[in-house]
Amino acid sequence: MTPGPSRSPAPETRDRILDAAEGLFVEHGFEATSMRMITSSAGANIAAVNYHFGTKDALIQEVFGRRLTELNRQRLAALDRLQAEAKGEPLKPSRIVEAFFGTALELAADTEHGGHTFMRLLGRTYTEPNAFVRKFMAEEYAEVLERFLGALYSALPDVPREEILWRFHFMMGAMSYAIAGTDSLQLFAGSFDDADPQRLMPRLMSFLLGGLRAPLAEFAQGAVQGGDREAA
Amino acid sequence: MTPGPSRSPAPETRDRILDAAEGLFVEHGFEATSMRMITSSAGANIAAVNYHFGTKDALIQEVFGRRLTELNRQRLAALDRLQAEAKGEPLKPSRIVEAFFGTALELAADTEHGGHTFMRLLGRTYTEPNAFVRKFMAEEYAEVLERFLGALYSALPDVPREEILWRFHFMMGAMSYAIAGTDSLQLFAGSFDDADPQRLMPRLMSFLLGGLRAPLAEFAQGAVQGGDREAA
DNA sequence: GTATGATTCAAACACACGTTTGAATTGAGC
DNA sequence: GCTCAATTCAAACGTGTGTTTGAATCATAC
């Protein structure tokens, strides 16, 4: 039962289901997207999803897996390239940030092959409550985060590691919202005519680097008066 | 049917349901939280929620309404105070940002009366797919965003309004993730021992102001080379 | 052409969902 | 003590969920 494709090259039903699921997950969320919505949108039978993937959770995992693995592979490749070019010299923090977030933004700018759709989904999923999804994401990110945080630690030896960690967290939030929140929540009513992903890249990069370079906060209570140490 | 409380002062069942719902929504999300989970957690009968609120959507709306209205009232009061003190002088952008985000961070630092729980929920909800929730949030935020963005436009007359809009968007993302993502996604494995909300405030503020002040990006394609104009 | 494995299909499974019902219980005002 | 409205309760409503079944169809190899 649930034999799985043994040696056939590319049955297209499987991919149609993945594409349909990806789009519907973005639009309605995981829980609110039913298997019947997915299969009918993909023009497949309801039983097809269990035949090809087993369970709904496994389908979710596969929706992420096929894109996230590749994204993180590219991120690591970009970091490898940087470190190879540097030949032992310390890396510029801005280049590290570009390798991580720029790679993601390039995927988000791809509106033709579903990259944009996926990045919207990914952005929302960082705060997804579903335990299964969380666990999967953590595993998928473990190596990448270790490598990039390590690179930043080396590039900024004078900045406390905890500060770097927090700022990386802040940066991920800014990027995720920039991508996921633009067209989903119309809080900023009618104002994002210029949601062109091509233009998002330089805008966001400038903001991220500004935040990374901000003076380190002192732990005075109340209003923040930034110190004069520069973080980056 | 569904008479609603007409003139009684404070039946406690209603509040127990709201508190239980708030906590469960944070933990599992809206869709994955059932009425039975809520009422059993609140020690109430399953029918109580429909008696007091009518529908699940109305309950969700009330969970947000009771806290978000107050938060935004405080934000506007803080801006009023700033503008009164300035007596016509232009406001410092950093003060405007503090009025908006600092007020929210203070609520997030309140772990005793559920403020922290609520802010985690709020952060995730900015990207919530549910159409009903989105519409409600947009209405609830309309006035506050108009006032604060207007204040920033006046404080930064030389910066294109679209840039200010984007940076505000980025800032909201950084804050939301900082609050919502800390304990939900353990991407940064085991590293956030120091998740003390009191310390989050100065850290995040420094980052946000750094991003706001970052040089404006030029729209060169490819890697970002920030211009030399300062945004704030 | 027939055998074999992969895939599709209509139908049903048991279960959980949000909501409703109508009777019981409570509590204050007279 | 009685009245009457507010509230609680057990039970059921109809519907949609993820998943499973077993037969039908398809495609390939011999």
Side-chain angles (χ1 to χ4, degrees):
Chain A
M1 315 168 184
T2 58
S6 66
R7 66 182 66 189
S8 66
E12 69 177 26
T13 300
R14 209 185 119 95
D15 290 323
R16 283 206 322 273
I17 289 175
L18 285 173
D19 290 339
E22 192 173 63
L24 288 167
F25 286 156
V26 168
E27 202 173 343
H28 304 104
F30 296 123
E31 306 276 354
T33 301
S34 70
M35 314 240 64
R36 284 164 181 82
M37 288 165 67
I38 294 170
T39 49
S40 84
S41 164
N45 186 276
I46 168 74
V49 79
N50 287 77
Y51 173 76
H52 285 285
F53 303 96
T55 67
K56 185 179 180 180
D57 273 347
L59 168 62
I60 294 174
Q61 179 162 352
E62 186 56 27
V63 165
F64 279 90
R66 67 169 179 167
R67 297 220 196 245
L68 192 51
T69 303
E70 171 63 14
L71 169 61
N72 281 338
R73 198 196 55 74
Q74 286 183 24
R75 279 168 160 163
L76 288 176
L79 184 56
D80 286 339
R81 221 174 303 126
L82 236 57
Q83 290 176 326
E85 287 171 5
K87 305 186 181 189
E89 294 288 306
L91 295 181
K92 281 185 65 178
S94 62
R95 305 302 305 274
I96 300 172
V97 169
E98 280 172 25
F100 188 89
F101 294 97
T103 306
L105 282 169
E106 277 166 20
L107 184 56
D110 164 34
T111 52
E112 301 212 352
H113 309 89
H116 181 70
T117 301
F118 173 72
M119 282 304 297
R120 287 175 60 196
L121 180 60
L122 180 60
R124 181 187 309 141
T125 307
Y126 288 125
T127 52
E128 169 68 32
N130 182 309
F132 175 84
V133 176
R134 281 217 301 265
K135 182 167 179 296
F136 170 67
M137 290 277 289
E139 289 169 3
E140 199 73 22
Y141 264 98
E143 184 193 353
V144 180
L145 285 176
E146 191 184 321
R147 285 280 316 273
F148 274 86
L149 284 173
L152 280 174
Y153 294 158
S154 300
L156 300 165
D158 295 333
V159 180
R161 295 192 168 193
E162 197 166 24
E163 293 290 335
I164 295 175
L165 198 60
W166 274 107
R167 297 206 168 180
F168 201 85
H169 198 196
F170 298 154
M171 287 190 278
M172 286 196 67
M175 179 190 72
S176 299
Y177 264 49
I179 296 169
T182 302
D183 27 19
S184 67
L185 218 198
Q186 246 72 17
L187 275 190
F188 307 88
S191 308
F192 278 116
D193 302 333
D194 184 15
D196 179 8
Q198 298 287 354
R199 294 199 153 195
L200 173 59
M201 170 104 96
R203 272 197 242 265
L204 178 59
M205 274 301 170
S206 179
F207 178 88
L208 294 183
L209 293 176
L212 181 62
R213 293 189 179 114
L216 291 179
E218 292 162 353
F219 288 122
Q221 59 201 14
V224 178
Q225 305 290 345
D228 49 4
R229 290 172 64 199
E230 295 274 327
Chain B
M1 313 161 184
T2 59
S6 67
R7 65 183 65 190
S8 66
E12 70 176 25
T13 301
R14 210 186 116 94
D15 290 323
R16 284 208 318 274
I17 290 175
L18 286 172
D19 290 339
E22 193 174 62
L24 289 168
F25 286 156
V26 167
E27 203 173 342
H28 304 103
F30 296 123
E31 307 276 354
T33 301
S34 71
M35 310 285 271
R36 286 166 178 83
M37 290 165 70
I38 294 169
T39 49
S40 85
S41 165
N45 186 276
I46 167 76
V49 77
N50 287 77
Y51 173 77
H52 285 285
F53 303 97
T55 68
K56 185 180 181 180
D57 273 348
L59 169 64
I60 294 174
Q61 179 162 352
E62 186 57 26
V63 166
F64 279 90
R66 66 170 181 166
R67 297 218 197 247
L68 191 51
T69 304
E70 172 63 15
L71 169 62
N72 280 340
R73 197 195 58 73
Q74 287 182 25
R75 280 168 161 163
L76 289 176
L79 184 57
D80 286 339
R81 221 176 302 126
L82 236 58
Q83 290 176 326
E85 287 171 4
K87 306 186 184 192
E89 294 288 307
L91 294 180
K92 281 186 66 177
S94 61
R95 306 302 305 273
I96 300 173
V97 169
E98 280 173 25
F100 188 90
F101 293 97
T103 306
L105 282 169
E106 277 167 21
L107 183 57
D110 164 34
T111 52
E112 300 214 350
H113 309 88
H116 181 70
T117 301
F118 173 71
M119 282 304 298
R120 285 176 62 196
L121 180 59
L122 181 60
R124 181 186 312 142
T125 307
Y126 288 126
T127 52
E128 168 69 32
N130 181 307
F132 176 84
V133 176
R134 280 217 302 266
K135 183 168 178 294
F136 170 68
M137 291 276 289
E139 290 169 2
E140 199 74 23
Y141 263 97
E143 184 193 353
V144 180
L145 284 176
E146 191 185 321
R147 285 281 314 274
F148 273 86
L149 284 173
L152 281 173
Y153 293 159
S154 301
L156 301 166
D158 296 334
V159 180
R161 296 192 167 193
E162 198 166 22
E163 294 290 336
I164 296 175
L165 199 57
W166 273 107
R167 297 207 168 180
F168 201 86
H169 198 194
F170 296 155
M171 288 191 277
M172 286 196 67
M175 180 189 72
S176 299
Y177 263 49
I179 296 170
T182 303
D183 26 19
S184 67
L185 218 199
Q186 247 74 17
L187 276 190
F188 307 88
S191 309
F192 278 117
D193 302 334
D194 185 15
D196 179 8
Q198 298 287 352
R199 293 198 155 194
L200 173 59
M201 171 105 94
R203 271 199 242 264
L204 178 59
M205 275 300 169
S206 179
F207 179 87
L208 294 183
L209 292 175
L212 181 62
R213 293 190 179 112
L216 292 178
E218 291 163 356
F219 289 120
Q221 58 202 15
V224 177
Q225 305 290 344
D228 49 4
R229 290 172 64 200
E230 295 274 325

